[in-house]
Amino acid sequence: MIAGAGPDTPLQQSFASVRHGDHAIGAGVLVAERLVLTCAHVVNSALGRDRFAQETPGPGDTVTLRLPHVAAGHDLTARVLREMWVPPRASAAGSAPVEPGRVPYHGDLAVLELTGAAPEGAEPAPFLQHHYANETIALWASGNPLPTVRAVPRVSAPPWIALDVLGGAQVTEGFSGGPLWDRERQAVVGLVAAVHRAPEGAAPGARPTTMYAISVPAIEAELPTLPPSAVPTARRGVQQLLTALERVLKGREAVLACEERLAARLGRPSAGPAADLERLVGLAVSVRRGIPELLDLVRDHEPPVADPYDPHARPGLYGAREDWERLRRAARTVRPAEYLTTRQRRDLSGLLAHCTRTDPRNLLERVLPHAPELPAVTGLADAMDALEGFSSTTGAPVPPLLQGVVRISVDERAAGAYPAEDLDAWVERVAARSGVDEAAVCQFRADVTAAAAPVRAPVPVRPATGTPAALAPRVQVELLPTATGRRFTYQIWTFADRQPHRLALVRDAEAGSEQVVDDIRRVLRTEVREDPETALVEYFLPSAWLGLDVDSWESPDSDEDGPFAPGITRRVVVRTTERSRESYAGWKQRTAALPHAKRLVLDHRHTDRKVARAQLEVHRDAGTVIVCCEPHHHGTLLRQCVQAGVHTVLWHRAEHGEHIAQDLLALVDGTDHAEVPEAVRLERARAMAEPERDTHHGRRLSLLYDAPDHRPPQLAPDAWVLTQP
């Protein structure tokens, strides 16, 4: 039994050790009285099967568990719930098996049901969504506190969260399936799934070990029948909620009926005749999305009214409209980030899966134009979670969440009736049940539709046929060089026309440049539809490594189709994620000046950092910079350009002199900013097509390109963080 209440008591009361014989091989977490959540590959290992086996364990397959902090040494028996077996799979849709070494993958969840009651002292764990700034901990399979790992969430790559392991801790096998615990918020924020270890002999200062966890939204999406999870006990606003409920829900019978129905909906035991208003509120605040469920049930419980179509008409004992508004305000105080019931949230997620025309980052900017800093989002579902936490501003009768869904519906309508009409119907139902005036929603939709029509950008067309042409897709490679600059770990993302980012490949083991190019070719073949334009390949590099000649890399020759040289057949540009507030401010200023932007040459006269920065300050309207000096000065000038917010930097990696500067100026002169990458690609191709001309300036030509449609991050992020362009 746990002797005393410490900072991790809720974690210890729910932590489960999954056993194989006498050994702990993984972990899990108690989520209901007799239900334990873990990874499917942990269950496979406990049953002696291949870790990525797909078939559901049979009724005779039992798993041994222990709750080491509650009943040390006491074995428990559990069986897999067939309806909650979600084995690992390669993609979000379908059931293709996972390729060895490929991360992230989907699924990998299982729920075990204990054959008997849990030991005394065991309690289901509270769950919340992760916060990027909060440190988390994870326990090893045995539950022993000595190998505890500390980690900080770095980036979401749905369905996983990537976390940096702190303090040089060694993450070994056995952490999988265990709860990721946020000590400050007293909640589980994910389920540990995999780890990328730092290479042996890594140089001091090398990036830390990366741990991956399945996020709470992914768990909820994969296991829709899992009972709603508990949440940390809420205190703020509870008294306001009790007072508001007393004015809306009067009479003991009404309270008893609501408590019984709420308990059934949340999968929790009812207090029966002992129920009262305090127990009803206590039940609602202890379960994820319990407050929206309570409001929904209270509304449904009320007797018929004179006008059943008026969502605000509440005569008699059930209070007036002001009482309902007071109740809703109290509910937002208790749980500010929960507006929807579990069913409403799942219905919305299902519709958003069919939406392809709305960029989530742009959506947040339109709905929250005055927010001091927007949350990082990786998809529309993630954006909806963010908007759910914002309350309506003064003078805005439609909440930000519903504003976002209306805007998505307007964007999607151009592609057809579905899912736009279903999104409109969803908004209508949720608005009516949330006390939002239907006329306000209709007016907001009309305003958005009218505003979108005249400003919508013209659709590019094929010159020969006049048919619409899609924007070129992008392949984004986030490259982390080793100290020698010859070996790399990396992630490859894809970004298609009006589609959210998708993490296509992760290479955790160090590889050479030829392997990088081979993986780019593989992603292009399997993940990117390149009609009608070739994809743009973007290498994201730390600013200290902008000198890497990534634009000249190629794969080895092959019998199938020869070597693959992206710099010739694809537009290849260099970008950097290392931007500060100051550099982002400069980037925005140069964006505003683009229609009249000038070209600036930085040559041997500007190799001193102070001189270069002064030149960039004097020419704050320069959108394109030509760097033309000795190669060993390139790094200094490139970093100065990045800090000054320059969009486009063109340079030759080997040659310099006035003739090179004039050639490069002529190359971009009269060229629209968006056409620069293609102009550079053609120059590289011309140089390759004329092998007898060793001096052709297209050889070893490089381009740093952070154009306005490639929006750089507002703040300097950590490594392996790509933001919406």
Side-chain angles (χ1 to χ4, degrees), residues 358-554:
T358 305
D359 180 87
R361 181 74 185 186
N362 291 341
L363 177 69
L364 291 186
E365 290 175 343
R366 288 184 290 170
V367 177
L368 306 170
H370 305 298
E373 187 170 340
L374 295 175
V377 293
T378 55
L380 288 178
D382 201 12
M384 291 301 103
D385 288 336
L387 290 177
E388 192 175 2
F390 285 85
S391 300
S392 296
T393 56
T394 304
V398 181
L401 173 66
L402 298 186
Q403 291 184 34
V405 181
V406 169
R407 289 184 179 276
I408 294 172
S409 172
V410 171
D411 290 344
E412 295 297 321
R413 193 168 296 279
Y418 184 79
E421 291 183 353
D422 286 82
L423 287 169
D424 288 344
W426 183 92
V427 169
E428 184 179 343
R429 291 182 64 240
V430 172
R433 302 186 73 83
S434 305
V436 178
D437 190 73
E438 181 182 357
V441 174
C442 292
Q443 184 62 56
F444 179 78
R445 182 182 292 110
D447 292 342
V448 172
T449 303
V455 300
R456 187 163 295 172
V459 178
V461 298
R462 295 185 179 93
T465 65
T467 56
L471 298 177
R474 301 176 197 161
V475 174
Q476 301 177 316
V477 187
E478 192 170 18
L479 203 62
L480 297 174
T482 59
T484 63
R486 298 186 180 90
R487 306 284 292 176
F488 313 91
T489 56
Y490 49 94
Q491 296 184 136
I492 301 180
W493 300 69
T494 59
F495 179 72
D497 183 23
R498 297 184 180 274
Q499 297 279 348
H501 270 96
R502 183 179 182 280
L503 182 59
L505 184 145
V506 175
R507 181 72 64 177
D508 290 336
E510 292 181 9
S513 62
E514 293 181 348
Q515 182 64 58
V516 177
V517 177
D518 263 347
D519 283 340
I520 292 175
R521 172 158 54 178
R522 177 171 140 203
V523 169
L524 285 168
R525 286 176 170 174
T526 60
E527 307 289 341
V528 175
R529 179 179 178 180
E530 295 195 73
D531 180 48
E533 295 187 58
T534 57
L536 172 65
V537 178
E538 301 176 320
Y539 283 94
F540 281 78
L541 292 163
S543 60
W545 293 97
L546 289 174
L548 281 175
D549 56 346
V550 294
D551 26 52
S552 62
W553 286 356
E554 61 181 45

Side-chain angles (χ1 to χ4, degrees), residues 84-127:
M84 297 190 194
W85 171 254
V86 188
R89 62 185 189 278
S91 60
S95 57
V98 177
E99 298 178 21
R102 177 165 181 168
V103 296
Y105 46 80
H106 295 258
D108 200 10
L109 293 167
V111 176
L112 304 172
E113 184 176 29
L114 300 176
T115 57
E120 183 180 355
E123 292 289 341
F127 281 71

